[in-house]
Amino acid sequence: VQLQASGGGPVQAGDSLRLSCAASARTNYVMGWFRQAPGKEREFVAAITSSGGSTSYADSVKGRFTISRDNAKNTVYLRMNSLKPDDTAVYYCAAAPYWREARYRVEDMFYWGQGTLVTVSS
């Protein structure tokens, strides 16, 4: 499965942005978003089951970000509201073969997209 992330760009604090991740084919994988800020490790942001029935979020984005998927379009979205400068990072979409209640780790993910940069200025 090939993943293509898009939708990043420069925004102001408080703005909203929607990221998209298009898969090359229909997939039953769990889909997730991670991010990596300059000088920091890649961290989990959100995940969604293959059906879209369950989601999980990092505490830092809970209530501000929403993950969703449109299986007819093989696309996963990350709606980001009330953006903060701390949200500045390269955002990656990824796919995992199973759902876990705990926070996803980088090593849980089988496939990765190329990343899209989000820059939030104050």
Side-chain angles (χ1 to χ4, degrees), residues 41-90:
E41 294 185 350
R42 195 170 297 188
E43 64 175 4
F44 169 75
V45 174
I48 187 168
T49 55
S50 58
S51 68
S54 294
T55 57
S56 67
Y57 297 92
D59 290 342
S60 59
V61 306
K62 200 171 294 183
R64 299 189 298 122
F65 290 12
T66 302
I67 188 171
S68 62
R69 66 192 295 165
D70 184 341
N71 287 336
K73 296 181 179 180
N74 299 332
T75 302
V76 177
Y77 304 98
L78 185 68
R79 176 70 178 182
M80 305 184 293
N81 295 330
S82 303
L83 282 162
K84 306 174 182 179
D86 284 349
D87 295 319
T88 294
V90 177

